[in-house]
Amino acid sequence: MEVRVDLDEAAKAILTANDRGGYTVPNGRVYPFQWNWDSAFVAIGFASFDPDRAWREVERLFEAQWEDGFLPHIVFWQHDEGYFPGPNVWGSGRTPPTSGITQPPVAATAVRYLWERSPTPAFLARLDAMFPKLLAWHRWFARTRDPHQLGIVVAIHPWETGRDNSPEWDEPGAPIDVSQVGDYTRRDTGHLDRKMRPTKLEYDRYLALVQFGRALGWDQARIARESPFRVADIGMSMILLRANRDLLWLAELLGHQDEADELRATIAQSEAGIDFLWDADKHCWCSRDMITGRSSGFVTSASFLSFYAGLSDPAKDAAMLAHLERIAGKVRYLVPSLDPQDAGFQMVRYWRGPVWAVVNWMISTGLAEAGHDSWAARIRQDTLDLIATTGFVEAYSPIDGGASGGDDFSWTAAIALAWS
Ligand code: DGY
């Protein structure tokens, strides 16, 4: 009990220290701006002790929304030389300056969470104001990132997926021309051990894609058609499906009948189309390259988000639980970001092995909703054990629980509070 109280206090102290006045930096040194999906989880954390501040986090993020509904992955609210690539590299020409790519759409799920924690008249007014902004972003996804109308999300940059260096992007990234990228100085490896970060080749590809988008003036429709990197991401697709269900719930609450009908149709489209991302050879949900049509074949932590997405198919669910059981036999802590039996598994390299608290929260939430209580409890407990033993770091080795990435991490603190 004492440990629990201490953990909560430590988590609150991290959110408070990383608060920059209405928005929270993921980590003060490595990520000194506002990140899109980090803020959604941070809001969930604030909800446990400061609901007003929780709403402010999401509202602040949406202040940077573009007119067409697009919501950028970074908002550069202030100047900071500690991060690369900064606003001058992105060249989005916006005020405030932003990046030109988006991130997994967790915000609608966070907003429903905030409302359910504190359903008061004052927050109803804020919910009413937030609803059209969320809907505009979700419509943008449907319009811009779902070329075959399958109800999935096609990412045009590995950073959009949030799982930057997952091996899912290796083969689709190979044709990216990095010959014109030029010299640059990374800041991440100045703050963190190289062995926990993406490689130079991966960074060259990230920057080539930024330069590509910038050269097209961040014309999102053209980028979606012409980008050399177009991958249907299993993580973003599952997260959007879940977020659409939560947005539908909010539409019904607010009495928006037409929007509710529209969302029902969008959800039905995903339920019918998302099988495109089922890899029948691997018996697993996998990302798929839209240019070659090939499935990645990788079993990653994102594969297990099918439960969170509310999908239910006895054969597929059984196959996913069998993967979970197999993986649980190979690691001490669930859920590693990459199958530990994969040759490319690395226990502390970012999204090639480490456990991430936010992904565990989504997986565990989905498993609990689907009635798989013991798996849900196991993942929750593993996450809390990791936090209690190693601290509020960015990610954790699934083998020995060691730290990967930055310390005092906002979204890890947020998940500790959500599970308190
Ligand atoms: C980074 O810079 O490492 C970020 O993940 C990009 O969003």
Side-chain angles (χ1 to χ4, degrees), residues 31 35 73 83 103 159 164 197 203 350:
Y31 304 106
W35 258 261
H73 101 295
Y83 180 80
Q103 248 186 346
W159 281 340
D164 305 7
R197 296 294 299 174
Y203 250 78
Y350 216 32

Side-chain angles (χ1 to χ4, degrees), residues 1-116:
M1 187 49 153
E2 202 49 48
V3 172
R4 183 65 261 181
V5 171
D6 290 351
L7 215 58
D8 284 358
E9 288 313 311
K12 287 181 200 168
I14 288 171
L15 290 191
T16 306
N18 288 344
D19 185 351
R20 295 290 180 272
Y23 74 94
T24 308
V25 295
N27 163 291
R29 283 178 312 127
V30 191
Y31 304 106
F33 309 107
Q34 184 171 27
W35 258 261
N36 182 325
W37 74 323
D38 290 71
S39 272
F41 291 110
V42 159
I44 286 172
F46 270 122
S48 74
F49 68 103
D50 189 346
D52 173 70
R53 180 61 187 76
W55 276 94
R56 192 71 199 108
E57 185 76 26
V58 185
E59 289 164 348
R60 191 92 159 112
L61 178 67
F62 275 85
E63 282 170 23
Q65 187 170 33
W66 295 11
E67 300 72 33
D68 62 355
F70 169 87
L71 192 67
H73 101 295
I74 307 176
V75 190
F76 299 101
W77 290 114
Q78 59 180 19
H79 179 79
D80 197 311
E81 288 295 327
Y83 180 80
F84 177 85
N88 296 341
V89 179
W90 287 97
S92 71
R94 319 292 302 190
T95 308
T98 71
S99 68
I101 59 172
T102 191
Q103 248 186 346
V106 182
T109 300
V111 166
R112 174 177 173 179
Y113 184 99
L114 301 195
W115 168 255
E116 291 194 288

Side-chain angles (χ1 to χ4, degrees), residues 34 39 47 66 112 127 158 170 213 223 250 283 296 307 321 374 402:
Q34 184 171 27
S39 272
W66 295 11
R112 174 177 173 179
L127 174 61
D170 290 356
I223 297 169
L250 293 171
H283 302 288
S296 78
F307 301 97
L321 292 174
S374 55

Side-chain angles (χ1 to χ4, degrees), residues 144-400:
T144 317
R145 295 305 187 77
D146 188 13
H148 305 306
Q149 299 293 288
L150 294 170
I152 59 172
V153 177
V154 176
I156 54 88
H157 196 299
W159 281 340
E160 282 201 324
T161 70
R163 305 190 316 285
D164 305 7
N165 70 336
S166 172
E168 294 156 280
W169 327 133
D170 290 356
E171 205 179 293
I176 298 171
D177 176 11
V178 295
S179 63
Q180 304 304 313
V181 166
D183 293 335
Y184 59 93
T185 305
R186 285 173 65 169
R187 298 278 190 274
D188 61 319
T189 44
H191 302 300
L192 300 168
D193 191 334
R194 270 178 195 280
K195 71 173 184 297
M196 299 174 176
R197 296 294 299 174
T199 61
K200 157 98 172 106
L201 174 61
E202 284 156 355
Y203 250 78
D204 283 354
R205 288 177 185 163
Y206 302 156
L207 290 172
L209 291 173
V210 171
Q211 290 167 357
F212 178 84
R214 184 178 178 155
L216 294 191
W218 296 111
D219 175 338
Q220 297 291 339
R222 266 194 76 188
I223 297 169
R225 281 195 308 271
E226 298 172 24
S227 174
F229 181 90
R230 279 173 275 146
V231 181
D233 170 25
I234 194 64
M236 293 180 90
S237 299
M238 294 297 181
I239 289 169
L240 180 61
L241 175 50
R242 168 53 181 255
N244 272 323
R245 293 187 201 278
D246 291 323
L247 197 57
L248 170 60
W249 189 92
L250 293 171
E252 286 170 345
L253 175 91
L254 294 167
H256 295 318
Q257 294 314 332
D258 291 349
E259 290 83 351
D261 287 345
E262 175 187 332
L263 286 161
R264 273 184 215 104
T266 307
I267 292 165
Q269 191 176 54
S270 293
E271 286 175 336
I274 206 159
D275 262 6
F276 178 68
L277 298 180
W278 179 256
D279 185 319
D281 296 329
K282 278 278 173 180
H283 302 288
C284 186
W285 295 105
C286 295
S287 297
R288 187 177 286 273
D289 188 340
M290 297 301 282
I291 298 176
T292 64
R294 272 200 291 275
S295 170
S296 78
F298 286 107
V299 182
T300 71
S301 50
S303 303
F304 297 99
L305 292 173
S306 54
F307 301 97
Y308 174 80
L311 292 174
S312 142
D313 172 302
K316 293 189 175 79
D317 293 354
M320 292 314 301
L321 292 174
H323 281 299
L324 197 56
E325 178 116 42
R326 174 179 60 75
I327 288 172
K330 301 285 167 202
V331 296
R332 163 65 187 86
Y333 299 100
L334 289 172
V335 177
S337 44
L338 177 61
D339 186 339
Q341 290 186 291
D342 190 283
F345 173 82
Q346 298 177 59
M347 70 179 185
V348 291
R349 199 186 285 278
Y350 216 32
W351 291 92
R352 292 187 184 243
V355 175
W356 293 74
V358 292
V359 179
N360 274 8
W361 182 82
M362 293 188 287
I363 296 173
S364 176
T365 299
L367 286 167
E369 288 168 355
H372 303 296
D373 293 337
S374 55
W375 281 118
R378 160 80 198 270
I379 292 168
R380 177 179 186 276
Q381 196 54 51
D382 281 6
T383 314
L384 291 172
D385 287 350
L386 284 166
I387 295 172
T389 334
T390 307
F392 297 89
V393 295
E394 189 169 4
Y396 305 85
S397 159
I399 305 295
D400 62 11

